[in-house]
Amino acid sequence: MKVNYAVKQLAKLAGVSVRTLHLYDQIGLLKPSVRTASRYRQYGEAELLRLQQILFYKELDFPLKEIGKILDSPDFDLVKALEGHKAALLGRKERLEVLLNTINKTVNHLKNKTMQNYEELYEGMPAEQAAAYRKEAIEKWGEDTVIRSEKALLEMPKLNLEQLKADQKTIKQALITLADQNPESDVVQEQIARHYANIRAFWGVSDPTDLRAATYKGLAELYISDERYTAEDGKPNPAFAMFMRNAMIYFADNKLVG
């Protein structure tokens, strides 16, 4: 059966915007099969299947540039890709179910003080990984800081852990888009101020006189010595790490002064 969709029809079918399809065309990620004499885009079955793959990889947090490389590889196998998506999504589903349970227990605790131990904060992570992260945090920041942070996550009734995580991701993405700017510029420093406030919330620091300038500068140095802090999709990004380090140091030296 011949498939022939106009751009508006495909956008509606796939649940994306026409603007998105135009962008994919411009960057070479999804070209229409035909352009009419009036320059209208039309898409066939091959393009529909490719768009499905794009959306699956996006769901798994792959950047568009990486998706294009995968789909254009001569070794790309559609059936194997679909099987891989299925396995990845099933794994994500299982992890999300655990995390949702953790959220429910945390919300219930914040309302009714029902949690029995701090380990429950880390459910959804492999036990060894959670323990390793906690040990590493204690070595870097001190046991008092880690315990205070954990206590804040358990005891502050208005703290929304998931919102903090979402804000952290949004701030990072905003800073990534600004990475070609001067780290000392106003637009960058505005986002660094948001980053600082977000980090303070994770640390459980609410006293406005407790600036933690040295601790924040220490975190800045970690950004260039530990690639996990600035990795994008699991890949090191040393240029962004240096940008973050310089922006955070400047912020600490100029804004976090008594």
Side-chain angles (χ1 to χ4, degrees):
M1 182 177 66
K2 186 177 180 180
V3 178
N4 193 17
Y5 280 89
V7 65
K8 288 185 178 179
Q9 292 173 316
L10 181 56
K12 183 177 181 180
L13 176 69
V16 299
S17 67
V18 170
R19 184 176 180 180
T20 293
L21 294 179
H22 286 175
L23 171 65
Y24 290 173
D25 184 6
Q26 291 168 10
I27 65 177
L29 185 59
L30 182 69
K31 291 287 187 181
S33 59
V34 174
R35 285 185 187 272
T36 68
S38 301
R39 304 296 294 165
Y40 289 115
R41 298 170 174 87
Q42 293 185 340
Y43 299 84
E45 181 179 6
E47 288 71 43
L48 268 65
L49 288 170
R50 185 177 173 96
L51 178 58
Q52 183 199 56
Q53 288 301 304
I54 292 168
L55 297 179
F56 273 132
Y57 279 114
K58 278 194 65 183
E59 181 65 28
L60 296 170
D61 300 322
F62 281 74
L64 295 180
K65 188 177 293 186
E66 188 67 24
I67 294 172
K69 290 180 181 178
I70 292 171
L71 297 182
D72 293 334
S73 169
D75 298 325
F76 179 75
D77 184 304
L78 180 57
V79 173
K80 288 183 179 179
L82 287 168
E83 291 172 347
H85 296 325
K86 181 179 179 181
L89 291 171
L90 284 173
R92 177 176 286 190
K93 177 185 175 184
E94 293 174 2
R95 189 172 182 319
L96 287 174
E97 286 175 349
V98 175
L99 292 173
L100 284 169
N101 183 53
T102 299
I103 291 171
N104 289 336
K105 289 170 68 175
T106 303
V107 170
N108 188 41
H109 167 76
L110 293 175
K111 291 179 178 178
N112 305 306
K113 304 301 178 189
T114 56
M115 272 193 181
Q116 301 299 312
N117 57 70
Y118 293 115
E119 284 78 7
E120 293 183 69
L121 282 170
Y122 301 96
E123 285 186 7
M125 297 182 185
E128 292 182 2
Q129 183 187 68
Y133 282 170
R134 190 174 190 275
K135 180 181 178 182
E136 184 179 1
I138 289 173
E139 291 172 352
K140 288 178 178 176
W141 310 113
E143 188 172 14
D144 289 345
T145 298
V146 172
I147 290 175
R148 179 172 53 251
S149 178
E150 292 173 336
K151 188 176 180 182
L153 296 179
L154 287 173
E155 294 184 354
M156 292 177 65
K158 293 183 180 179
L159 181 63
N160 186 325
L161 182 57
E162 291 307 305
Q163 186 60 54
L164 275 181
K165 290 179 180 178
D167 290 345
Q168 186 179 66
K169 186 174 182 179
T170 299
I171 294 165
K172 181 180 179 182
Q173 290 303 316
L175 285 163
I176 287 174
T177 65
L178 296 172
D180 61 343
Q181 303 286 321
N182 183 339
E184 300 177 8
S185 66
D186 290 344
V187 65
V188 171
Q189 288 298 302
E190 181 180 346
Q191 293 301 322
I192 290 294
R194 293 180 62 206
H195 178 266
Y196 169 69
N198 181 265
I199 292 296
R200 278 174 58 89
F202 274 110
W203 284 343
V205 178
S206 57
D207 182 355
T209 65
D210 187 1
L211 299 178
R212 296 299 174 95
T215 307
Y216 192 61
K217 290 173 72 172
L219 177 62
E221 297 297 343
L222 276 176
Y223 276 29
I224 58 173
S225 63
D226 190 333
E227 64 187 28
R228 291 174 302 173
Y229 283 85
T230 51
E232 183 68 11
D233 298 307
K235 297 181 179 179
N237 190 340
F240 180 62
M242 183 58 71
F243 165 80
M244 283 295 297
R245 182 262 181 200
N246 292 341
M248 291 167 67
I249 294 292
Y250 181 84
F251 179 85
D253 286 342
N254 290 273
K255 302 295 183 181
L256 306 183
V257 291

